[in-house]
């Protein structure tokens, strides 16, 4: 898994203080590997208890209409399953493999033969499965000792792909946003000079020559956290701002309604300051918002804020023409992440970046109705109410008694001898009763709460009994 960027605190404060003083005074043609409409994908980490099997994960991606994923390695079992999902995948090279690949072109060729060719060669069953290779993750900050061999690893893998007639698969490396110094106002941004000549210029030259994207992990959440309250939370989450509260770059007079666009424009300016061709597309390989964290240390880590950020991000990428500085160059993004990685160590928020729990139930419901593709249907139109995984059984029983009594749910089908009686356990019966009530109330807000015993899911809970997405039910057998 990649470490998330936490740098740039001083620069962010300069941005916020400077721009706050000034408050008183489409579609895009650039995507990850070059051309095409911008898209939203998701990253998939595997530090998850009871992670879905590869085949179940592929089915889950199909059901959720997720067509772009980023993997942190090149697990052949998962890639084999993804071949049937309709998704394309960025595959990763973990940081601990960089030394071998960067030191030996033969090792890089063997890696391509073993990890890529079975899924990307013209004679494979899934020649379009692998969309790019991400070599390492945030190496300048996560493993700086490996920086000298990072570019050789990228070049060796690119050469091996070219030798296999797969030069259409770009090779790059996800970098932390902290390599951009003084990013605010965006017009004054520049890359860390200690990295510029020795690493960034050769890397960018390689990316330009191979039509590969500049990969960046970009988190407005950390910008908000590091600003000590100077950055308005609405600005970090794409919420509409009155003109008087928009950030203004004093050098360009461009107005910024959100932190995300300001960070991207800072990257574009930093590229220009290195005299790098504007033709290198930027791909945001990680962005997101945690749904839970320590209340004192991370007060903005909440389901509502995560929902707002990711929902607005999806709308922003799919509906907006680009940034103020580049209105025709909307970057594609990967949301970090698909599942809550409950096995990740560290602060509480580390385990709570996912859109879904490991069992496939949503952590929260994204507001993306009508968006083409990505989660546009299941998260809003096809929802069910079931017994919460962590709810006490006595609480579940009490809530079911209420649903079938004062709540007036039709619980006939879960009576002995009826079609939905099996399996005969409290949670199965309660899920049926909860869902009956939820649907009868038109899925109104709070109608699946049941004092914490209920939870909304986009996964159809039908097994022995068919849970229709309405107030009518028929058994499946």
């Amino acid at each position: 898994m990649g470490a998330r960027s936490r740098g740039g605190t001083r620069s962010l404060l300069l941005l916020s203080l400077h721009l706050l003083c000034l408050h008183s005074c489409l579609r895009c043609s650039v995507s990850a590997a070059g051309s095409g409409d911008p898209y939203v994908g998701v990253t998939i980490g595997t530090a998850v208890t009871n992670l879905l099997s590869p085949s179940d994960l592929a089915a889950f991606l199909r059901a959720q209409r997720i067509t772009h994923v980023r993997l942190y390695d090149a697990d052949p079992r998962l890639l084999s399953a993804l071949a049937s999902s309709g998704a394309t995948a960025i595959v990763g090279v973990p940081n601990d493999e960089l030394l071998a690949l960067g030191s030996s072109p033969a090792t890089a060729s063997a890696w391509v033969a073993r990890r890529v060719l079975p899924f990307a060669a013209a004679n494979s069953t899934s020649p379009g499965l692998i969309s790019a290779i991400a070599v390492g993750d945030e190496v300048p900050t996560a493993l700086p000792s490996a920086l000298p061999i990072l570019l050789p690893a990228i070049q060796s893998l690119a050469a091996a792909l070219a030798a296999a007639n797969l030069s259409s698969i770009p090779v790059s490396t996800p970098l932390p946003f902290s390599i951009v110094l003084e990013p605010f106002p965006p017009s004054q941004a520049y890359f860390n000079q200690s990295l510029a000549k020795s690493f960034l210029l050769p890397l960018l030259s390689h990316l330009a020559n191979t039509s590969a994207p500049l990969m960046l992990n970009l988190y407005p959440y950390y910008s908000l956290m590091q600003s000590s309250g100077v950055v308005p939370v609405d600005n970090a989450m794409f919420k509409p701002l009155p003109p008087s509260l928009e950030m203004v770059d004093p050098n360009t007079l461009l107005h910024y309604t959100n932190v995300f666009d300001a960070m991207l424009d800072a990257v574009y300016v930093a590229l220009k300051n290195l005299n790098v061709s504007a033709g290198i597309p930027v791909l945001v390989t990680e962005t997101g918002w945690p749904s839970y964290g320590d209340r004192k240390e991370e007060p903005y880590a909440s389901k509502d804020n995560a929902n707002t950020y990711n929902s607005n991000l999806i709308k922003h990428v799919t509906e907006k023409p680009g940034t103020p500085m580049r209105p025709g160059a909307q970057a594609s993004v990967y949301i970090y992440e698909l599942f809550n990685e409950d096995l990740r160590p560290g602060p509480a928020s580390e385990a709570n970046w996912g859109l879904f729990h490991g069992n496939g139930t949503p952590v929260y419901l994204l507001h993306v109705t009508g968006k083409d593709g990505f989660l546009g249907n299941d998260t809003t139109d096809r929802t069910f109410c079931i017994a919460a995984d962590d709810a006490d059984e006595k609480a579940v029983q009490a809530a079911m008694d209420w649903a079938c009594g004062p709540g007036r749910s039709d619980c006939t089908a879960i009576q002995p001898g009826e079609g939905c009686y099996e399996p005969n356990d409290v949670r199965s019966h309660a899920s049926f009763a909860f869902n009956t009530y939820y649907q009868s109330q038109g899925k109104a807000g709070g109608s699946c709460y049941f004092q914490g015993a209920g939870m909304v899911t986009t996964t159809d809970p039908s097994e022995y009994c068919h849970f229709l997405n309405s107030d009518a039910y028929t058994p499946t057998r």
Side-chain angles (χ1 to χ4, degrees):
M1 290 298 303
R4 286 174 289 283
S5 176
R6 303 172 189 266
T9 304
R10 176 174 174 270
S11 299
L12 183 65
L13 287 170
L14 288 174
L15 153 81
S16 307
L17 292 170
H18 185 64
L19 296 184
L20 284 172
C21 291
L22 295 170
H23 287 165
S24 59
C25 343
L26 344 134
R27 302 289 284 179
C28 153
S29 61
V30 178
S31 71
S35 61
D37 289 336
Y39 61 81
V40 179
V42 293
T43 70
I44 303 178
T46 56
V48 181
T49 301
N50 298 322
L51 180 67
L52 294 175
S53 69
S55 59
D56 286 343
L57 177 57
F60 181 78
L61 294 175
R62 286 195 301 271
Q64 298 297 336
R65 294 190 289 162
I66 295 172
T67 56
H68 298 273
V69 300
R70 177 190 170 194
L71 310 178
Y72 289 90
D73 58 16
D75 184 340
R77 297 173 304 164
L78 185 52
L79 287 172
S80 295
L82 289 181
S84 66
S85 72
T88 61
I90 295 177
V91 298
V93 175
N95 287 350
D96 59 10
E97 295 183 21
L98 292 178
L99 180 60
L101 296 178
S103 303
S104 169
T107 301
S109 295
W111 190 93
V112 168
R114 184 174 67 256
R115 300 297 182 94
V116 178
L117 293 185
F119 310 102
N123 60 352
S124 73
T125 58
S126 54
L129 173 62
I130 296 178
S131 61
I133 297 176
V135 184
D137 193 38
E138 299 197 346
V139 173
T141 53
L143 191 63
S145 62
L147 198 59
I149 50 90
L150 177 56
L151 182 56
I154 293 172
Q155 293 170 327
S156 294
L157 288 170
L161 289 168
N165 294 318
L166 291 174
S167 56
S168 60
I169 298 177
V171 185
S172 186
T173 183
L175 298 173
F177 181 74
S178 59
I179 64 170
V180 180
L181 301 183
E182 309 297 343
F184 304 112
S187 60
Q188 296 181 4
Y190 59 93
F191 286 121
N192 185 324
Q193 294 302 294
S194 66
L195 299 174
K197 292 184 179 180
S198 61
F199 171 68
L200 287 173
L201 273 173
L203 171 67
L204 293 169
S205 176
H206 171 81
L207 298 182
N209 291 335
T210 57
S211 300
L214 173 62
M215 295 178 172
L216 282 167
N217 295 345
L218 190 155
Y219 286 91
Y221 171 75
Y222 286 122
S223 293
L224 173 68
M225 289 293 295
Q226 295 166 354
S227 74
S228 300
V230 176
V231 171
V233 64
D234 286 355
N235 192 257
M237 296 194 297
F238 299 97
K239 286 187 176 181
L241 296 172
S244 62
L245 293 181
E246 291 179 356
M247 297 186 297
V248 181
D249 188 319
N251 300 310
T252 62
L253 299 183
L254 292 173
H255 288 237
Y256 288 89
T257 60
N258 63 84
V259 174
F260 183 86
D261 281 351
M263 294 172 82
L264 276 178
D265 273 355
V267 174
Y268 296 140
V269 170
L271 286 169
K272 183 179 179 181
N273 286 338
L274 283 183
N275 295 317
V276 174
S277 169
I280 299 177
V282 172
L283 175 62
V284 179
T285 39
E286 284 184 14
T287 189
W289 200 284
S291 62
Y292 178 78
D294 182 273
R295 291 185 179 181
K296 182 178 180 181
E297 299 297 327
E298 296 189 81
Y300 299 110
S302 71
K303 288 183 180 180
D304 285 344
N305 287 347
N307 189 346
T308 298
Y309 178 81
N310 285 322
S311 295
N312 287 340
L313 172 74
I314 294 168
K315 296 173 186 176
H316 188 74
V317 170
T318 58
E319 294 178 356
K320 301 296 182 182
T323 68
M325 194 170 290
R326 287 194 178 182
Q330 180 63 59
S332 294
V333 305
Y334 286 79
I335 292 177
Y336 184 90
E337 57 186 328
L338 185 60
F339 299 118
N340 273 346
E341 291 189 274
D342 60 311
L343 300 179
R344 282 184 66 89
S349 63
E350 288 296 301
N352 290 280
W353 288 78
L355 300 175
F356 296 87
H357 296 288
N359 63 2
T361 59
V363 177
Y364 48 85
L365 298 180
L366 290 169
H367 302 309
V368 290
T369 305
K371 301 296 152 228
D372 293 336
F374 198 79
L375 303 175
N377 182 37
D378 283 356
T379 56
T380 50
D381 297 329
R382 295 188 69 253
T383 57
F384 305 84
C385 179
I386 61 173
D389 293 337
D390 57 354
D392 179 78
E393 188 165 306
K394 291 182 179 179
V396 172
Q397 178 69 60
M400 177 175 62
D401 292 342
W402 182 91
C404 295
R408 297 185 178 182
S409 292
D410 183 359
C411 297
T412 304
I414 56 176
Q415 300 305 309
E418 298 297 331
C420 295
Y421 179 69
E422 297 291 344
N424 179 20
D425 62 74
V426 171
R427 291 186 180 277
S428 296
H429 287 183
S431 292
F432 183 90
F434 290 177
N435 195 54
T436 302
Y437 180 80
Y438 175 66
Q439 304 296 341
S440 71
Q441 299 300 306
K443 307 178 186 177
S447 61
C448 185
Y449 181 56
F450 296 105
Q451 302 301 311
M455 62 183 285
V456 175
T457 178
T458 60
T459 303
D460 190 341
S462 303
E463 184 174 1
Y464 298 101
C465 183
H466 187 54
F467 284 54
L468 292 180
N469 192 37
S470 67
D471 59 357
Y473 302 89
T474 57
T476 56
R477 53 178 187 142

